[in-house]
Amino acid sequence: MVQFRQHNLLNSHQLGKFDIIFCKNVMLYFDESYMQRVEHHLYNALQPHGWLFLGQAEALRFEREQWQTHVFPGAPIYQHQSSEPLAFDDTPKQPKYDIDDTQPTIVANTVEVDYYLQAVEAVHEDDYTQAERCLSHALYHKHALIPTHTLLAWLFANRKAFPEAEAHITATLSLDPLHADAHYVSALIALEQNQIQNAIRALHMTLYCDKYHVLAAFMLGNLYAKTGELSRAYSQWAKIQRVLDRFQPSDYVSDLSDLTAGQLDALITAHLNDT
């Protein structure tokens, strides 16, 4: 029998106990303190070894070690791992919603990229939560799927949600095996997990797909410098500076970074002076 009830996710006493919880595209609209509160309540509302399903553009942010992440086609699924409830301050608070109801400007034949472009703008403004919201809309409407999956992978990798990041990289590469940004994010994931050789291979693949990929060349130069291969490092950095001549100093160098051309050039100059 199915029962329909109204609950407040911020009130743990209303939830009950469940084997499976579907909570898709909800937590994106809370600020971080309330996201943490809801995550704790959902964990405590699950039976031991119960399952939590989130939206495709979402990933757990807190107490990740308490969950087992299973990656399935389409989205990761989280499994409760303990019979012990998580302790959390349940003092009632007024929920702070942070909802952006702004709809993208619709222009003939370009609507499919609007959500993605809004996400890129949010990344450039360091508003990663808003970027995830926009990308959630993009996935729902199946707009700009290749860059959307790639940018989500980058966002998840930045907060060390590696299984979720890898799932989105897999989705990107299934659509375009030579997508340079996807291979670059694979390198980031490998580097974060101290898999240096895997990172170098992924960076070489990135540059094979796009020889002007300045972020990949910069990272590869840094890795060469760390291993004492200074001539190879200088070669990569010099290549970047030639490419940056095509940019205005205020131009962003990538959708996957808030670095401008001027900032990247300054970083390279500092590296050249220090080595």
Side-chain angles (χ1 to χ4, degrees), residues 145-147 149-150 168-183 205 209:
L145 287 178
I146 291 174
H149 280 298
T150 305
H168 284 286
I169 289 299
T170 299
T172 298
L173 294 178
S174 70
L175 297 169
D176 181 2
L178 297 179
H179 190 67
D181 279 346
H183 291 289
M205 187 63 186
C209 298

Side-chain angles (χ1 to χ4, degrees), residues 141-161:
H141 293 285
K142 301 187 185 304
H143 294 164
L145 287 178
I146 291 174
T148 292
H149 280 298
T150 305
L151 187 52
L152 273 169
W154 180 80
L155 289 166
F156 289 155
N158 275 347
R159 51 187 173 90
K160 302 187 185 304

Side-chain angles (χ1 to χ4, degrees), residues 19-176:
D19 296 307
I20 300 175
I21 295 176
F22 295 88
C23 186
K24 303 185 74 172
N25 302 326
V26 174
M27 288 191 287
L28 285 167
Y29 297 101
F30 290 102
D31 69 7
E32 284 210 356
S33 64
Y34 288 102
M35 286 182 191
Q36 184 176 20
R37 188 179 182 85
V38 171
E39 283 189 20
H40 277 79
H41 290 172
L42 292 176
Y43 187 90
N44 290 338
L46 279 169
Q47 299 284 4
H49 309 296
W51 299 84
L52 172 64
F53 291 72
L54 300 182
Q56 192 176 9
E58 296 178 294
L60 291 173
R61 292 172 179 261
F62 307 97
E63 310 286 355
R64 289 180 58 88
E65 69 279 0
Q66 300 293 334
W67 300 85
Q68 184 174 358
T69 303
H70 301 267
V71 176
F72 291 92
I77 301 171
Y78 303 96
Q79 188 174 22
H80 187 290
Q81 289 206 101
S82 172
S83 59
E84 296 297 323
L86 290 177
F88 191 69
D89 178 12
D90 263 338
T91 305
K93 299 176 183 178
Q94 181 66 29
K96 178 182 176 182
Y97 299 98
D98 185 13
I99 300 176
D100 182 3
D101 290 326
T102 305
Q103 294 298 313
T105 302
I106 298 178
V107 180
N109 298 323
T110 62
V111 64
E112 70 274 6
V113 299
D114 283 339
Y115 289 119
Y116 176 75
L117 292 179
Q118 288 180 6
V120 171
E121 290 172 2
V123 166
H124 290 163
E125 295 170 0
D126 290 329
D127 189 350
Y128 294 167
T129 300
Q130 178 62 17
E132 289 178 20
R133 292 172 189 151
C134 295
L135 294 171
S136 175
H137 288 300
L139 287 180
Y140 178 79
H141 293 285
K142 301 187 185 304
H143 294 164
L145 287 178
I146 291 174
T148 292
H149 280 298
T150 305
L151 187 52
L152 273 169
W154 180 80
L155 289 166
F156 289 155
N158 275 347
R159 51 187 173 90
K160 302 187 185 304
F162 298 128
E164 296 91 332
E166 289 169 349
H168 284 286
I169 289 299
T170 299
T172 298
L173 294 178
S174 70
L175 297 169
D176 181 2

